[in-house]
Amino acid sequence: MAEGGAEVPRLAGGPAGWVSVAIPTALFVWFAQFLPAVAAGQTPLIGFDWVPSMGIRLEMLIDGLSLTFALLITGIGTLVTLYTTSYLGKHPEYPRFVLYLMTFMVGMLGLVLADNLIALFVFWEVTTISSYLLIGFTSDSAKSRRSALQALLVTGTGGLALLAGMILLGQAAGTYSLAEIRQMGDAIRNHDHYIPILILFLAGAFTKSAQFPFHFWLPNAMAAPTPVSAYLHSATMVKGGVYLMARMNPTLGGTEPWFWALVIAGGFTTVFASVLAIRQTDVKQVLAYTTLMALGALTLFIGAGSSDAIKAAMIFLVVHSLYKAALFLMIGIVDHETGSREVADLRGLARKMPVTFLAGALAAISMAGIPPFFGFIGKEFLYKAGLEAETAQLWITGTIFAASVLMFVAAGIAVARPFLGRLPEKFKDVHEGPIAMWIGPFLLGALSLYFGIFSDIPEIWLVGPATDAVYGADVSVDLYLFREVNAAFILSMITFAVGFVLYLMHARIRDALAAIIQANPLKFDPGWDRTLDGVKALAEFQTRYLQSGVLTRYVFIIFATFAATTGFTLWAQDALNFQLDIAAELDGLLFKHWAVLVFITAGAILTALTRSRMTAIAALGVVGIGVALLFIMFSAPDVAITQLLVETLVVVLVAVAMLKLPHLGVRTSEPNRPVHAMLSIAVGTVTTLVLVAVLQTDLDLRLTEYFNATSYYEAFGSNIVNVILVDFRALDTFGEIAVVVIAALSAYALLRGTRYGAIREDDT
Amino acid sequence: MMNSIILNAATRLLVALLLLFSVYMLLRGHNLPGGGFIGGLIGSTGFILYAIAQGPTACRKALHFEPQNIAMIGLGTALAAGVYPVFFNDAFFTGQWWFIGDRASGDYIPISSVLVFDIGVYLVVFGAILTLVLALEDEV
């Protein structure tokens, strides 16, 4: 930062702020250019070869669904980043926040655009991790950190399930390309692995989109700064799961298990969340629970699966993103200006903050589903799809009716309460927020009205193509505000009436709900804590047991495991079934072989029997040098040289360490010696058996021949060992030297960091 | 540190010889026994000898750089040699070769990104071992 530091107030967030607004704006414009092509029914695939030798391409699949999502992500992203320049622009960590937000946006765009399942998973995890960083942005608060970790673990676990599901699906389909998998719905649905795939995919989608019983992380995630709540936890990230279900509908959808899983989980989440929304006293929490409700409704209707239901889900997706982001941003302004989000505190702010009120009111009317707003159309189509459902008609219609009524109430709590009524004394000096903050919610609110009146615009460009993509076939989409007095319309009118009555009584309902919830023994958040504590206790237990810190025990466990598993494998694989002519073998040995053999054996025996550690180290060095001599005899000079050098260095290193480390003198009596002796004999026996067993089979010389043939002509080197190390398998070598560096640094840190603080004289 | 005059005198000569030898091993490695790993081991032996004879402080002075930095530079060099081919539309770690001189007559010097990679290996092994040894020696 050129201005440097937090003391200098940066104009609208400084360079980081401008960049953060410019990127989503540019992307929005870029995506908008695809609208005509997608509306005309095309699905452009844009990509480039990533690893052509392995057939991996990075490809973007742009169809109605992904384009709708991409436009929501970049469009709302632009408004949210603009809002953030003002909301957090003076925060000393603002550039860091921008970095996280941009990372998230890229991840989310990748998620909805990726054509490859594995790429989709990678981006899915990018959104999980950036969400963790954003929720925990105020990292000095324990509550933030807990919520961030909770979100990470819940969605991360789901992500792992999803990865497993994707691999199964990829195996079943024989391809990882979504565009191709989409064509194979029937084959997948009849595949043996359909049920496991379905369960794993839904585990991913339900955790991400906070469906019951994984819902509890989302309200806690509201510990994040408000722009994050508006962007990630209502408009975009939590819809990642919805996106996945919508994307998979042509492939996995349309079966009984799919229908019931989505309809039951979605429906239950819908009702459960909207009841809990009414119970909250913090406006942001009210909005958080209504977001849960919306996610439930989307799941429910994708599960219902008829063309009407999919259409309703896609309309509601757009409706909800617009009004919910606006409402979150609105309560952020109120919080920013008054320092409170409590329903009980806030009154009569309309006079002080007229523009914010206007923006909030536009969004809230859309949320309540009042004509001529887009929200009304959304609700009408939800009712219509519910009433015309062939299965579970009553359940779908009932849940959506209950939810709509409670949404009406929630909209009132979120906007009417804080802005209407008499202004309390303490808010006399409150003033309107800056334009960078109210422009976002205002535009989103206005768009909710505009889309309602000119409903053919979202119909042609967004909802129509998206419905086709999700349903997997052409669906006629015709949005309208009012056409006739039908069952859906009558249900809407009843919704308003019931909602209005409940709104007037809502304080009493809230207290009653609070009492009921208080009495309910089944609580998810404390349950979460207990689960986490259990995991920690298990980790502690096994650490204490396995990671005792006693070197002897580590070595013992490692060698015992080796001897047991290898010995078992030898036995189980029937590898010991060979005839060995020992006399003939011994006859073949020359004098030099005998000499080395004696040399090694003598070293080994001395190591085992000596009472001095120093002698033991030296004797072990003798064994190593003997082995090096063997390598020389069997013409492996590179290995022999390395072995010699390493043996020398090990003796030097251990000798130095012995001299320096305290409490190491003459070996005292050890009760475990017989056990150790038995273990070493076992290891020696198993190793010998393995070697002999290996020699019984013919050596496979194909690799040797390959390298002999290619080493000089392709890699211009005649030392095969070195050519393999630095050329053929250079990536492996790179990994190994990275390990060497890490090991050296860790040892350095251990030696420096424990008992000796500042020891080098020349430092002081 | 050992106070031995013979060791002290011999070390001056041996360190230089070991270092020269280690570079020789490194460079010939592609065609004959040797290479970055062995070269790095031999090179570090030279400095370990120096540390035993003259003490770790003198050894650090002679090194000029912190050994852990040498290891990190080596890792960076190896990575650079691996990434370099990507700019020529080859996969990671594909060797790039230049033959300076006349190849047909055999009168040429080969230069390659593989050699650069091996130099990286040399520096990593050299730096990592000296990091360990000097940290241990320091503790007196």
Side-chain angles (χ1 to χ4, degrees):
Chain A
M1 291 281 106
E3 298 100 318
E7 310 83 37
V8 186
R10 282 166 296 198
L11 183 68
W18 290 116
V19 170
S20 76
V21 180
I23 293 174
T25 314
L27 285 170
F28 182 79
V29 173
W30 190 73
F31 283 117
Q33 63 160 325
F34 291 105
L35 278 171
V38 170
Q42 296 166 14
T43 53
L45 268 175
I46 301 169
F48 64 93
D49 284 320
W50 192 354
V51 189
S53 53
M54 292 173 71
I56 297 176
R57 269 173 71 80
L58 191 63
E59 224 158 19
M60 296 198 301
L61 173 69
I62 299 183
D63 64 0
L65 180 64
S66 55
L67 189 60
T68 301
F69 264 97
L71 288 172
L72 286 174
I73 293 162
T74 50
I76 296 178
T78 304
L79 300 174
V80 166
T81 47
L82 180 65
Y83 178 95
T84 313
T85 57
S86 193
Y87 187 83
L88 277 177
K90 295 198 175 87
H91 195 287
E93 302 275 17
Y94 174 67
R96 188 163 67 100
F97 183 82
V98 168
L99 178 69
Y100 294 163
L101 207 61
M102 291 296 109
T103 311
F104 165 75
M105 193 179 73
V106 170
M108 194 64 208
L109 280 175
L111 198 168
V112 297
L113 291 168
D115 176 57
N116 183 291
L117 279 177
I118 302 298
L120 196 161
F121 171 75
V122 171
F123 287 118
W124 179 280
E125 293 294 272
V126 169
T127 63
T128 301
I129 293 167
S130 47
S131 151
Y132 167 72
L133 293 169
L134 284 165
I135 299 171
F137 181 67
T138 45
S139 53
D140 48 358
S141 137
K143 187 169 166 283
S144 275
R145 292 199 302 272
R146 177 181 179 274
S147 306
L149 189 65
Q150 190 179 47
L152 178 72
L153 291 179
V154 173
T155 54
T157 312
L160 284 179
L162 179 64
L163 177 63
M166 283 174 167
I167 291 172
L168 274 181
L169 178 61
Q171 302 257 320
T175 172
Y176 284 95
S177 164
L178 279 168
E180 290 172 32
I181 288 174
R182 202 157 45 153
Q183 314 291 337
M184 310 200 242
D186 286 331
I188 304 286
R189 278 186 288 267
N190 292 322
H191 196 274
D192 288 345
H193 292 155
Y194 173 71
I195 293 293
I197 292 174
L198 181 64
I199 291 173
L200 290 166
F201 264 85
L202 291 186
F206 281 8
T207 49
K208 194 80 160 184
S209 282
Q211 294 303 295
F212 186 87
F214 308 111
H215 61 279
F216 51 90
W217 70 266
L218 185 56
N220 287 338
M222 298 298 147
T226 300
V228 176
S229 307
Y231 192 34
L232 272 69
H233 303 119
S234 98
T236 56
M237 187 189 92
V238 290
K239 297 224 173 84
V242 172
Y243 167 79
L244 187 72
M245 290 183 275
R247 175 56 83 210
M248 285 298 145
N249 184 47
T251 316
L252 300 174
T255 61
E256 291 261 305
W258 167 276
F259 178 87
W260 290 111
L262 266 64
V263 166
I264 291 174
F268 189 75
T269 309
T270 309
V271 179
F272 174 78
S274 36
V275 171
L276 281 184
I278 308 304
R279 180 240 173 284
Q280 306 300 320
T281 58
D282 176 342
V283 177
K284 203 173 165 185
Q285 286 293 330
V286 174
L287 296 176
Y289 279 99
T290 54
T291 303
L292 267 182
M293 170 265 150
L295 295 170
L298 287 168
T299 307
L300 171 68
F301 278 81
I302 290 173
S306 66
S307 62
D308 275 344
I310 300 288
K311 194 193 309 176
M314 290 302 112
I315 301 169
F316 188 57
L317 173 78
V318 179
V319 169
H320 175 256
S321 296
L322 294 179
Y323 77 65
K324 191 52 68 65
L327 286 175
F328 267 113
L329 296 178
M330 172 215 81
I331 193 60
I333 302 175
V334 171
D335 190 13
H336 197 254
E337 301 302 329
T338 66
S340 170
R341 298 190 307 238
E342 286 298 313
V343 178
D345 278 4
L346 300 169
R347 281 287 180 284
L349 290 169
R351 257 157 288 168
K352 294 289 179 185
M353 309 169 74
V355 192
T356 310
F357 171 57
L358 179 61
L362 289 171
I365 296 172
S366 187
M367 176 172 170
I370 295 171
F373 281 75
F374 198 32
F376 175 72
I377 299 181
K379 182 161 52 66
E380 288 295 287
F381 275 81
L382 289 177
Y383 279 156
K384 183 166 172 283
L387 289 168
E388 289 169 12
E390 285 165 15
T391 326
Q393 182 195 24
L394 193 62
W395 167 249
I396 297 175
T397 315
T399 48
I400 214 64
F401 173 74
S404 296
V405 169
L406 293 167
M407 289 268 276
F408 185 93
V409 181
I413 300 171
V415 175
R417 287 273 156 156
F419 284 100
L420 302 179
R422 207 171 54 81
L423 189 73
E425 198 61 32
K426 62 177 171 178
F427 293 141
K428 281 283 184 265
D429 298 328
V430 169
H431 47 78
E432 183 59 86
I435 178 167
M437 287 175 79
W438 57 250
I439 190 77
F442 178 76
L443 281 179
L444 290 169
L447 213 53
S448 297
L449 177 60
Y450 180 78
F451 275 3
I453 298 171
F454 301 97
S455 57
D456 50 339
I457 289 175
E459 169 194 320
I460 297 169
W461 305 112
L462 301 174
V463 176
T467 309
D468 291 349
V470 177
Y471 191 63
D474 277 348
V475 177
S476 77
V477 175
D478 179 18
L479 303 190
Y480 49 85
L481 266 175
F482 178 72
R483 200 157 278 168
E484 56 185 353
V485 178
N486 54 14
F489 184 77
I490 293 167
L491 211 50
S492 264
M493 294 304 121
I494 301 173
T495 309
F496 296 144
V498 179
F500 192 69
V501 172
L502 287 183
Y503 173 66
L504 294 178
M505 297 162 52
H506 116 261
R508 243 177 301 160
I509 298 173
R510 187 179 64 210
D511 295 342
L513 279 173
I516 296 169
I517 290 161
Q518 203 68 45
N520 171 20
L522 187 70
K523 288 196 179 64
F524 282 89
D525 228 26
W528 162 262
D529 282 335
R530 270 197 302 280
T531 313
L532 216 55
D533 287 345
V535 172
K536 277 185 198 156
L538 183 70
E540 260 178 41
F541 164 77
Q542 70 92 19
T543 306
R544 224 179 299 121
Y545 195 74
L546 291 176
Q547 311 282 324
S548 54
V550 182
L551 191 58
T552 322
R553 197 177 296 173
Y554 285 132
V555 175
F556 188 89
I557 292 174
I558 290 168
F559 277 117
T561 312
F562 164 75
T565 51
T566 316
F568 176 76
T569 313
L570 276 178
W571 173 76
Q573 296 287 323
D574 204 24
L576 299 175
N577 190 11
F578 52 78
Q579 297 293 320
L580 192 60
D581 188 353
I582 292 175
E585 295 282 336
L586 289 180
D587 252 6
L589 289 184
L590 300 176
F591 173 72
K592 58 178 182 184
H593 299 138
W594 279 111
V596 174
L597 210 60
V598 170
F599 197 58
I600 294 176
T601 318
I605 292 172
L606 185 59
T607 312
L609 294 184
T610 180
R611 292 266 146 196
S612 150
R613 283 179 193 270
M614 217 48 169
T615 316
I617 301 301
L620 206 58
V622 168
V623 175
I625 286 168
V627 173
L629 286 174
L630 278 182
F631 285 136
I632 291 175
M633 282 174 199
F634 295 99
S635 54
D638 274 293
V639 190
I641 298 173
T642 313
Q643 169 83 11
L644 269 177
L645 287 165
V646 169
E647 280 304 329
T648 317
L649 284 172
V650 166
V651 172
V652 172
L653 270 176
V654 178
V656 173
M658 289 279 153
L659 286 176
K660 307 298 147 71
L661 296 174
H663 309 306
L664 284 178
V666 176
R667 228 183 329 205
T668 50
S669 69
E670 285 175 35
N672 288 332
R673 278 207 105 177
V675 181
H676 290 173
M678 274 163 56
L679 178 65
S680 37
I681 289 168
V683 171
T685 314
V686 166
T687 311
T688 310
L689 286 174
V690 167
L691 287 175
V692 175
V694 165
L695 287 177
Q696 298 305 308
T697 56
D698 289 330
L699 268 181
D700 185 351
L701 289 173
R702 272 179 302 170
L703 275 180
T704 320
E705 277 158 15
Y706 171 77
F707 285 123
N708 265 328
T710 54
S711 170
Y712 191 72
Y713 296 100
E714 286 183 16
F716 312 110
S718 43
N719 177 1
I720 298 176
V721 175
N722 185 264
V723 170
I724 293 174
L725 278 177
V726 297
D727 202 332
F728 284 117
R729 311 299 307 246
L731 188 60
D732 292 354
T733 309
F734 184 74
E736 281 154 19
I737 58 176
V739 171
V740 169
V741 171
I742 291 165
L745 291 180
S746 321
Y748 181 78
L750 275 176
L751 286 166
R752 277 315 179 80
T754 51
R755 282 154 299 160
Y756 303 90
I759 34 165
R760 266 170 58 194
E761 304 93 71
D762 53 355
D763 271 356
T764 48
Chain B
M1 185 185 358
M2 286 185 195
N3 288 318
S4 153
I5 295 171
I6 300 172
L7 185 63
N8 260 337
T11 303
R12 286 165 203 283
L13 188 63
L14 278 174
V15 172
L17 277 178
L18 280 167
L19 281 179
L20 200 62
F21 184 52
S22 73
V23 175
Y24 169 69
M25 286 303 259
L26 163 71
L27 291 180
R28 76 176 210 150
H30 215 55
N31 291 309
L32 295 162
F37 201 84
I38 292 174
L41 287 173
I42 296 174
S44 61
T45 321
F47 274 95
I48 291 171
L49 201 57
Y50 195 78
I52 292 173
Q54 310 275 346
T57 315
C59 183
R60 279 184 197 278
K61 278 216 178 84
L63 269 174
H64 287 289
F65 299 98
E66 289 286 325
Q68 55 269 39
N69 291 354
I70 297 177
M72 289 310 292
I73 288 166
L75 199 60
T77 310
L79 181 64
V83 172
Y84 178 75
V86 172
F87 298 107
F88 298 92
N89 255 341
D90 274 326
F92 283 114
F93 289 104
T94 310
Q96 304 290 316
W97 290 82
W98 302 269
F99 298 95
I100 300 166
D102 181 16
R103 248 201 115 182
S105 69
D107 183 21
Y108 64 92
I109 303 172
I111 308 276
S112 66
S113 65
V114 172
L115 178 65
V116 177
F117 181 79
D118 221 7
I119 292 173
V121 174
Y122 177 100
L123 292 175
V124 166
V125 172
F126 180 84
I129 290 179
L130 285 177
T131 304
L132 278 176
V133 173
L134 291 182
L136 275 169
E137 290 258 343
D138 275 341
E139 293 205 347
V140 194

